[in-house]
Amino acid sequence: MNLKSTLAALVILPLTLTACAKKDEAPKTETAASAAADQQTTVEQQKAIDALDKPVLDEKNTDVPAEVANASADEATASAEEAASTATAH
């Protein structure tokens, strides 16, 4: 009986201490990060961001034809579905 009581105390004690522990001040750090994100970017910074956002296209990549790669998403999906259906039909 004494062993069961000790075991129960060892299981419950860490849970109790964790539940009653002082909470971290996480909301303060989140507001500081969001305040930094709210600052206005300069024209030079925006140009640098835009330059980084553009992907470098590989000229040797011939997996996707240019007309499919440059089409809008809906048209490209329809073309891929048509190609897949004709490929499986043959």
Side-chain angles (χ1 to χ4, degrees):
M1 182 70 179
N2 192 16
L3 181 63
K4 290 181 182 180
S5 300
T6 305
L7 183 61
L10 287 175
V11 170
I12 293 172
L13 183 64
L15 296 174
T16 305
L17 293 175
T18 303
C20 296
K22 185 176 179 181
K23 304 291 183 206
D24 289 338
E25 297 181 7
K28 287 185 180 179
T29 57
E30 290 176 5
T31 56
S34 65
D38 290 341
Q39 292 177 351
Q40 296 292 330
T41 58
T42 63
V43 175
E44 293 84 13
Q45 290 173 335
Q46 190 60 44
K47 286 182 182 178
I49 291 169
D50 291 340
L52 291 174
D53 285 343
K54 295 179 182 174
V56 177
L57 300 177
D58 186 7
E59 297 85 16
K60 297 178 183 177
N61 187 359
T62 57
D63 292 342
V64 179
E67 61 270 3
V68 174
N70 296 330
S72 67
D74 293 333
E75 294 173 13
T77 303
S79 299
E81 289 173 354
E82 289 172 10
S85 65
T86 57
T88 55
H90 292 278

